[in-house]
Amino acid sequence: MLCERCKKRPATVHITKVVGDQKVELHLCEECARELRELGELPPPFPEEFKPFVEGLQPFSSTFFPLPELLQSFFGSFGGKEGSPRERDDDLRCPKCGMTWREFREKGKFGCSECYEAFRPRLAPLFRRIHGASEHRGKSPARDPSSHLKKRLEELRAELRRKVEEEAYEEAARIRDEIRALENELGGRAG
Amino acid sequence: MAEERARSFAPLDGEVDRFLRTPLGAALREEGPEGDVAVSSRVRLARNLREFPFPTAMRPRDAQAVLTRVESALAAFPDAAQYVRIRMGEIPPFARGILVEKHLISPLLAENPAGAVIVRQDEAVSLMVNEEDHLRLQTFAAGLALQEAYREADHVDDLLAAHLDIAFDPRYGFLTACPTNVGTGMRASVMLHLPALALTRTLGQVVEAVQKVGLVVRGIYGEGTEAEGNLYQVSNQVTLGLSEGELLENLLGIARQVIEQERRARDVLLREDRVALEDRIYRSYGILTSARRISTREAMERISDVLLGVHLGLVQGIPSRALRELWVMIRPNFLQYTFGESLGPAERDERRAVLIRRHLKEAMARG
Ligand SMILES: [Zn+2]
Ligand SMILES: [Zn+2]
């Protein structure tokens, strides 16, 4: 490919530039790239020691792992041997969303929460590969749906007492309204 | 044509307009703990409704149904009145761009017309609906405040779980579209300003050390190319097998070490060649307050230098908040909305310079 700018020398520098909300691919030769950098139209090249930062950089809010490289390496390790577990597993299918193990392998994304059940036999090794573990040890969703509301109500009542003691009546009034709303809701659930 | 261009950045309705014009929500205006290096903390929880396919596989009417469910759950929040709902399909592309520039939503959500974001007025809580997962609850706090951010996220998560049937498995935890999020569904991160580590060229070693303990370091702005303005985020990579508390503790410990390294590097710079450092900072100060045309990239670098100067006590009279606001204000969509018209790249560079000069002058006048 020839450099887009001078159309003479071969393009060896490939840059993705963001202009407004559009991504533009630039293919340039070394000289044109250097010139554009001097003009401030292109970012400076990154020094070697920054390389680990540069790879897979993401804006702050985006999904952190859009490319499941780990999945790739995991699935790659099955190899293509005949009669390998890989072929049999391709038959696994989620009854709810219809996703097959093969599709999951290609996309790296589940189709629905039932997929976890459908693919269960294959998931533990995958999760161990990604997370180094296959058992959840964190939070569970509240089983009693009103338990946290009750907890919050207690917190609010304590806060109300504090505000009244501090004579912060405006805030106290706000908290009182919040308590009423919450009490109504709990009442509504019970009834 | 010119009229059409001008109209494309016309003001939106009340509440949404207020979000789009405010560079920093109330939650991030003041500096938080370790604020000389730690800019902000964020906790994100990925959740899904058991009933519907994940957004990656769902039909439009499922998306609508999920949104309706979430909105009715939200209506029962004690502070429901504090939340603003913004549907992606109902706002123009530039407005979605600003929400991305403000970190309130991801670029992925911005591209989904069935997506929505529900933001609390102070911008400490934002709830993305129909991103890669049905729900991505995010909480933000100033400085190094991961525990505080998590407490808030945990609380809002409980409120939601009281009204929604959340996909959860006793063995695998919260079920997510991507296997890299399963378990806690939690991604916690700290945004760090690391100019001295960059200047002393020791960033690479720090990154390597951080990655060895299973955390990830990434740049923050700049659409997948590189970090601008020496802003980096450190976050947990693993989400399964450790509790939320353990994950936060690990991240907190590492973040503290990186912050310490950055402070040491700042001391080294002051000690070894104070004049060189001052020269760099004051030149950047001069450019920000005098330039007539400036690119986003250069602005990011200069803002980083001056912010370093503020934290070292070398630059006086500019509150750090004004500089942190500029990080958002100079972005293309935010900039064009401020001026109310569509601008070409060269025009943007000019207006950016105007906006920076004006903003700094006002900030200095306020003191
Ligand atoms: Zn060329
Ligand atoms: Zn499925």
Side-chain angles (χ1 to χ4, degrees):
Chain A
M1 187 191 307
L2 281 180
C3 168
E4 285 174 2
R5 191 158 172 270
C6 63
K7 301 195 169 60
K8 283 182 210 151
R9 294 174 289 261
T12 51
V13 183
H14 309 280
I15 295 162
T16 311
K17 207 181 167 194
V18 179
V19 182
D21 46 17
Q22 281 184 319
K23 264 191 206 171
V24 184
E25 293 275 341
L26 290 175
H27 308 281
L28 303 165
C29 67
E30 295 282 349
E31 272 148 87
C32 287
R34 195 180 323 124
E35 210 179 312
L36 287 176
R37 279 184 180 122
E38 276 161 16
L39 290 168
E41 288 177 33
L42 281 183
F46 251 57
E48 276 302 307
E49 68 264 34
F50 285 68
K51 280 284 159 62
F53 274 104
V54 184
E55 281 151 22
L57 286 180
Q58 290 277 311
F60 188 54
S61 290
S62 77
T63 320
F64 289 110
F65 301 99
L67 289 173
E69 291 127 28
L70 281 159
L71 284 180
Q72 294 290 337
S73 69
F74 177 74
F75 292 132
S77 71
F78 274 100
K81 287 176 220 117
E82 282 157 54
S84 68
R86 174 184 174 159
E87 280 188 10
R88 286 198 307 277
D89 291 335
D90 281 349
D91 298 337
L92 290 177
R93 177 185 284 274
C94 171
K96 187 172 176 190
C97 72
M99 181 171 275
T100 61
W101 177 251
R102 179 197 288 271
E103 274 177 275
F104 169 64
R105 251 178 28 197
E106 282 160 7
K107 289 187 188 157
K109 302 270 162 65
F110 296 106
C112 75
S113 52
E114 279 293 302
C115 291
Y116 281 84
E117 200 53 55
F119 305 149
R120 190 169 288 268
R122 293 248 52 93
L123 292 181
L126 171 65
F127 293 164
R128 273 197 294 273
R129 183 74 163 248
I130 298 173
H131 299 281
S134 60
E135 304 267 349
H136 177 56
R137 281 199 11 224
K139 176 179 180 172
S140 302
R143 286 298 165 207
D144 169 11
S146 63
S147 66
H148 76 274
L149 291 181
K150 287 175 188 153
K151 197 176 101 200
R152 176 76 184 142
L153 202 54
E154 276 166 38
E155 283 171 13
L156 283 172
R157 283 180 181 139
E159 212 180 321
L160 179 61
R161 278 196 298 277
R162 266 200 309 278
K163 293 296 171 197
V164 172
E165 276 164 25
E166 291 166 12
E167 303 184 20
Y169 295 116
E170 237 171 82
E171 283 171 71
R174 186 183 53 75
I175 294 165
R176 186 202 55 214
D177 291 346
E178 215 174 297
I179 289 174
R180 280 195 189 144
L182 213 57
E183 280 170 345
N184 279 341
E185 193 186 332
L186 276 165
R189 283 163 172 283
Chain B
M1 184 62 199
E3 244 180 52
E4 216 170 281
R5 278 175 60 192
R7 255 205 313 273
S8 75
F9 280 84
L12 300 182
D13 289 339
E15 275 184 323
V16 180
D17 178 73
R18 201 184 53 78
F19 271 117
L20 300 184
R21 286 186 193 285
T22 313
L24 291 179
L28 295 180
R29 271 175 214 158
E30 302 308 319
E31 260 180 31
E34 324 293 341
D36 58 329
V37 182
V39 180
S40 60
S41 301
R42 180 186 64 161
V43 168
R44 189 211 71 196
L45 301 178
R47 301 287 187 258
N48 287 284
L49 307 193
R50 198 181 293 279
E51 189 181 338
F52 302 97
F54 295 146
T56 39
M58 77 208 283
R59 294 157 302 176
R61 73 183 149 96
D62 293 331
Q64 186 53 50
V66 167
L67 187 54
T68 308
R69 294 282 169 88
V70 174
E71 281 171 356
S72 69
L74 192 94
F77 278 27
D79 59 346
Q82 296 292 311
Y83 285 83
V84 179
R85 188 205 73 181
I86 306 172
R87 293 190 185 210
M88 292 306 118
E90 292 173 359
I91 58 172
F94 80 82
R96 287 176 249 147
I98 295 175
L99 293 174
V100 173
E101 289 168 355
K102 290 187 69 177
H103 303 309
L104 285 170
I105 65 169
S106 65
L108 182 69
L109 188 79
E111 284 161 23
N112 180 4
V117 65
I118 299 167
V119 190
R120 205 169 70 185
Q121 299 278 3
D122 63 357
E123 297 179 37
V125 180
S126 104
L127 189 63
M128 288 194 268
V129 185
N130 295 326
E131 213 252 16
E132 185 181 286
D133 295 294
H134 292 141
L135 296 174
R136 286 207 163 169
L137 165 61
Q138 298 193 102
T139 55
F140 300 87
L144 185 66
L146 284 167
Q147 309 281 13
E148 291 72 7
Y150 179 71
R151 255 199 300 282
E152 186 81 62
D154 183 41
H155 173 61
V156 178
D157 183 43
D158 284 345
L159 289 174
L160 287 167
H163 297 271
L164 300 168
D165 187 14
I166 301 292
F168 180 84
D169 178 90
R171 175 161 184 198
Y172 294 141
F174 291 97
L175 305 179
T176 53
C178 187
T180 57
N181 292 316
V182 73
T184 59
M186 183 178 81
R187 196 77 64 198
S189 60
V190 186
M191 199 206 280
L192 300 172
H193 182 225
L194 305 175
L197 285 176
L199 275 172
T200 55
R201 310 223 149 200
T202 43
L203 206 47
Q205 296 159 34
V206 174
V207 175
E208 218 173 285
V210 170
Q211 282 170 341
K212 272 196 190 120
V213 293
L215 298 176
V216 187
V217 186
R218 280 164 208 274
I220 287 147
Y221 289 104
E223 281 296 307
T225 41
E226 59 222 76
E228 285 180 24
N230 300 309
L231 288 168
Y232 296 91
Q233 61 179 347
V234 184
S235 59
N236 63 302
Q237 179 155 32
V238 161
T239 56
L240 182 68
L242 292 172
S243 71
E244 289 81 359
E246 290 166 328
L247 290 168
L248 291 170
E249 275 305 319
N250 287 349
L251 179 56
L252 210 48
I254 296 300
R256 285 208 185 95
Q257 288 180 38
V258 177
I259 290 168
E260 218 27 68
Q261 294 292 333
E262 166 66 20
R263 285 180 185 147
R264 256 184 241 169
R266 291 179 186 185
D267 287 345
V268 168
L269 287 171
L270 277 174
R271 211 173 45 232
E272 305 275 303
D273 198 348
R274 187 186 177 105
V275 176
L277 183 64
E278 288 182 347
D279 184 62
R280 181 186 171 111
I281 289 168
Y282 293 129
R283 275 171 191 275
S284 288
Y285 175 87
I287 287 168
L288 286 184
T289 50
S290 321
R292 292 306 193 255
R293 194 175 274 169
I294 190 165
S295 68
T296 308
R297 165 161 300 275
E298 180 176 4
M300 289 301 287
E301 281 168 20
R302 306 297 177 188
I303 293 166
S304 169
D305 286 346
V306 176
L307 185 60
L308 175 64
V310 168
H311 284 135
L312 291 175
L314 298 172
V315 173
Q316 317 249 310
I318 302 181
S320 83
R321 172 181 160 181
L323 295 161
R324 288 181 287 113
E325 282 172 336
L326 282 179
W327 277 334
V328 175
M329 296 172 78
I330 61 168
R331 298 272 137 196
N333 290 297
F334 196 101
L335 183 77
Q336 293 177 93
Y337 193 52
T338 301
F339 287 100
E341 56 183 315
S342 174
L343 305 164
E347 291 172 302
R348 283 210 295 276
D349 288 354
E350 280 180 42
R351 300 293 182 94
R352 186 176 294 112
V354 170
L355 184 138
I356 292 171
R357 295 204 312 270
R358 194 171 73 193
H359 187 66
L360 289 179
K361 197 187 274 178
E362 283 169 9
M364 285 187 264
R366 277 197 308 269

